Amino acid sequence: MTLTTADPAAAVCAYLASAISTVLATVTAPGATTSGPAIFRPDMPQWMDKTMPVAAIVVRPAGGYKMFGTGPLPVTDPVLDMICYGGGQQQSYTVAAAAAQALRALRMSVWEGATVYWARIAAGPVPLPDAATYWPATWLSAQVMVSENATA
């Protein structure tokens, strides 16, 4: 039997793409498949530079396993950072607040082949403009509990 490792960032991206539109129906961005911001991992694609700043979220691993990463159970609880962009600082904060609300509502479900049990906000949202581009951005960090093995 071959085990495939689950990707927590991909799972959170898929969940947010589905859930955030119910929380934030008024923000749209190029590349978005639903009413809501475009969501990427682990970096923003270069083609987005032409349209920025618009509503978008970049999800990337932040490291750290708090409770389950060192035990024998086949679950892990990594911390993921989300950089939420917007056309202005207020819009980026609104996107981050909507992402936080959606993550708090997450219940056990399968996304991108990963069983995600829960998510909790670890820090933020904190207004933090992008240091390289000065685009309006807000930082949010969440801890997620996810199965280490991908679900078939």
Side-chain angles (χ1 to χ4, degrees):
M1 181 171 129
T2 303
L3 290 179
T4 306
T5 303
D7 182 349
V12 168
C13 284
Y15 171 73
L16 285 175
S18 173
I20 202 168
S21 63
T22 62
V23 176
L24 185 67
T26 60
V27 179
T28 58
T33 57
T34 61
S35 173
I39 303 172
F40 307 102
R41 69 172 172 85
D43 294 305
M44 176 120 25
Q46 193 170 10
W47 60 264
M48 280 293 288
D49 288 354
K50 296 174 187 162
T51 60
M52 290 300 286
V54 295
I57 301 174
V58 176
V59 179
R60 60 177 55 125
Y65 296 99
K66 306 266 184 195
M67 300 184 305
F68 301 103
T70 58
L73 296 174
V75 294
T76 185
D77 59 333
V79 176
L80 301 172
D81 282 346
M82 282 145 275
I83 308 301
C84 302
Y85 295 93
Q89 193 60 54
Q90 183 59 49
Q91 186 186 37
S92 76
Y93 188 87
T94 301
V95 170
Q101 184 177 348
L103 288 167
R104 283 192 293 272
L106 176 73
R107 299 297 178 260
M108 190 177 99
S109 50
V110 177
W111 298 95
E112 291 294 313
T115 302
V116 182
Y117 297 97
W118 49 253
R120 68 178 101 194
I121 304 307
V126 176
L128 194 64
D130 189 285
T133 62
Y134 300 108
W135 292 331
T138 299
W139 170 77
L140 176 68
S141 189
Q143 176 188 17
V144 296
M145 182 179 173
V146 62
S147 174
E148 287 182 339
N149 303 322
T151 304

